[in-house]
Every structure is written in structure tokens, then in C-alpha cells.
Amino acid sequence: MSTDATTWRDVIKRPKRGVPEGLWKRCPGCQQTVFRKEAEKRLGVCPECDYHWYVSAQTRIEQVLDEGTFEQWCADLTPTDPIGFVDKRPYRDKLAKEQERTKLTDAAVVGAGMVRARRVAFAVTDSAFFMGSMGSVVGEKLVRTIERATDEDLPLIIVSGSGGGERMHEGMFSLMQMAKTSAALARYDAAGGLFISVLTNPTMGGVAASFASLGDVVFAEPKALIGFAGPRTIKATIRIELPKGFQTSEFLLEHGFIDRIVRRKDLKSEIARAIDYCGK
Ligand SMILES: [Zn+2]
């Protein structure tokens, strides 16, 4: 056995300069450096520790819906700057930059597609765009999707990757989306619809406090951060030590807030199974 200080494993852990950009990826779960291709083959899940990392809205659509079945709705809805918001930089400029960077018009992508040959209405929020926060476009896109699902009697799947809650840059216009999406879901429910809400890392703030929690069935990916206010804020407010694992999927399953933890590779089959089980 070699006593050389640099073992093969060390080389894997510390990629040297000169390794092509993007070949390796550091896992936020276990801090190991893993081969990007290997993680992608596992749908963006760490082969070492099962950490489920970020996937884009586009990738999520490819993972959950049958190949080539997605038809996008409301693609022409684009955000405006209703309150002329400026902090360090104008909201308008930030929007343009986010759109350029992510190639999305806003944080939600909505439409219809097939899950193992079952037609569904499908929406996903992307945490790369303003932390997936809900402004007026996200709210409006979701409501139009819910209403169309009601009219066409389709099961509804919303995958949330919204760590930013409501988008503060649109003030009250963002806040009212909580009531708006919830009201649309109540009408969908009264019409007998089946809503499967899928919570992914992170789902926080006003998104967690509105549509994301209103599923007939609520799934969550393993170890996702799900909650309303962040743990630091809560700790500072109520001044008690928070329990271990607070605001993780596992903690919330134990306390009845979610129905099932579903690993990414099983998500498609579990959605299909729930649809069949509910007779939709
Ligand atoms: Zn890992």
C-alpha cells in the first residue's frame, strides 16, 4: 500500500487547476467533489450522500413528464415593475439580468404534459430566478394553470422550488398572489380536482404559506428546506433552541405537514400512482 500523502481519493476531493470547468461538482450535502456526469445520470442527486441538488425548471419537466409531451402555456406573460421598486439597483434592471442569465421570463414555467401517459396540468417554479419568488407573473401563471385544469378536469402537479417566498420588489402585488392562488385552488378542489404539490429545496415564505401547502397530496424531496420564516429569524423572535432537523422534509413528515418523502428517481412513478389511486 502506498504511503504517499496524495492518494487517489485526495485527488478526487481536490481537483487541481487545469481540470476542465464543470467536470466536477462540489456537493453541498457531504462536501465531496463528485463527477458531474455521474450526478446528472442520477437526475442531480449526489452518488455519495443522496443530496438532491438544484435542477432547473426545464430539467424538472424532462424528469417528470413523458418525453416530448410538454406544451407550454402562458409563455408570453412577462413581469413589469408595478411599484417602480429600487433598492441598490432598479428592479427593472435586475429583471432583465435574471432573464438574460436564466433564459426564463419569470420564475414559473407552466403547461400540460403526460406522466406515464396520464395527461396533467404541470407547473414548476425555478429557484434560479429571484429565488423562485412569487410575483404577479408567477401567481397569474399558476392561477391560469389551475383554472384550465379545473375546466379540462386534469390532475394538477405543482413542483415548488421557491426559496424566496413572495417577491418583495412587487410589494402588495406579490402578497395578493397568496390569496389569489389559494382561491383558485379552492375552486379546483370544489370541482373535484386532484392537486399533488411537490416541495423541493427550498420552499419558504409566502409560497410555503399558500399554494405549496394546499395539495391534496404533498410530496417532498429528501432533506429539502421547507418552512415559513428562516430558522435564524424564528430563533431571534421566540428565543428558544429549535429542535434538530427543524424545517427539513424528514422533520415535517414526522409532524404530519407532508405526506411522503419521494426520491427524485421515484417522483414520476409516485405521481402516476397517486393519480391512479385517486381515480383521476
Ligand atoms: Zn453528497
Side-chain angles (χ1 to χ4, degrees):
M1 191 180 155
S2 169
T3 53
D4 191 337
T6 310
T7 63
W8 179 82
R9 199 160 250 285
D10 287 334
V11 174
I12 298 274
K13 273 189 197 160
R14 296 183 276 111
K16 298 223 166 68
R17 239 176 252 169
V19 170
E21 181 73 23
L23 200 55
W24 303 92
K25 205 170 157 133
R26 183 171 289 276
C27 168
C30 64
Q31 309 305 319
Q32 299 262 23
T33 305
V34 300
F35 198 36
R36 181 184 290 270
K37 279 240 169 73
E38 183 63 24
E40 279 169 9
K41 215 167 70 191
R42 292 164 187 261
L43 309 179
V45 174
C46 174
E48 301 287 333
C49 74
D50 202 37
Y51 181 86
H52 284 48
W53 57 59
Y54 163 80
V55 290
S56 68
Q58 186 54 45
T59 305
R60 183 69 70 175
I61 287 166
E62 287 161 15
Q63 288 178 357
V64 176
L65 298 180
D66 300 346
E67 198 182 340
T69 60
F70 182 66
E71 64 181 77
Q72 196 177 164
W73 296 342
C74 318
D76 55 339
L77 281 184
T78 50
T80 57
D81 180 17
I83 59 172
F85 188 89
V86 179
D87 52 2
K88 278 181 191 140
R89 278 184 303 140
Y91 175 50
R92 202 173 278 278
D93 294 355
K94 285 188 182 173
L95 268 177
K97 203 151 184 201
E98 290 288 272
Q99 287 168 337
E100 166 72 27
R101 193 174 59 79
T102 61
K103 310 293 174 220
L104 296 168
T105 50
D106 207 307
V109 180
V110 304
M114 307 285 251
V115 177
R116 298 211 192 286
R118 296 152 188 84
R119 187 170 157 83
V120 301
F122 188 85
V124 51
T125 59
D126 191 323
S127 66
F129 194 100
F130 275 99
M131 284 303 289
S133 57
M134 180 157 66
S136 34
V137 167
V138 171
E140 181 63 19
K141 277 188 163 188
L142 291 177
V143 165
R144 289 191 193 183
T145 306
I146 298 162
E147 289 180 341
R148 197 152 160 191
T150 312
D151 291 343
E152 297 182 18
D153 197 20
L154 293 174
L156 169 71
I157 322 295
I158 304 180
V159 182
S160 154
S162 289
E166 299 307 303
R167 192 171 305 162
M168 65 168 188
H169 315 75
E170 294 183 22
M172 186 54 84
F173 292 92
S174 289
L175 278 181
M176 65 181 266
Q177 306 307 321
M178 292 174 68
K180 193 166 103 176
T181 52
S182 302
L185 282 170
R187 288 193 295 268
Y188 176 71
D189 184 59
L194 167 67
F195 171 31
I196 302 173
S197 180
V198 182
L199 313 181
T200 73
N201 186 41
T203 296
M204 296 294 285
V207 168
S210 62
F211 70 85
S213 302
L214 293 173
D216 297 297
V217 182
V218 181
F219 290 159
E221 287 196 331
K223 295 174 195 164
L225 178 71
I226 300 160
F228 185 61
R232 237 181 314 162
T233 312
I234 299 175
K235 217 169 141 178
T237 310
I238 62 175
R239 292 164 205 274
I240 58 164
E241 218 34 62
L242 296 169
K244 199 169 175 292
F246 184 65
Q247 292 183 327
T248 59
S249 309
E250 291 71 17
F251 185 89
L252 296 171
L253 177 69
E254 210 172 292
H255 291 79
F257 186 81
I258 60 172
D259 298 306
R260 182 169 291 181
I261 293 173
V262 180
R263 297 177 67 201
R264 197 168 285 163
K265 69 175 178 55
D266 302 323
L267 185 56
K268 187 170 179 166
S269 330
E270 286 298 305
I271 289 172
R273 196 204 299 247
I275 292 171
D276 291 351
Y277 184 76
C278 297
K280 293 292 163 184

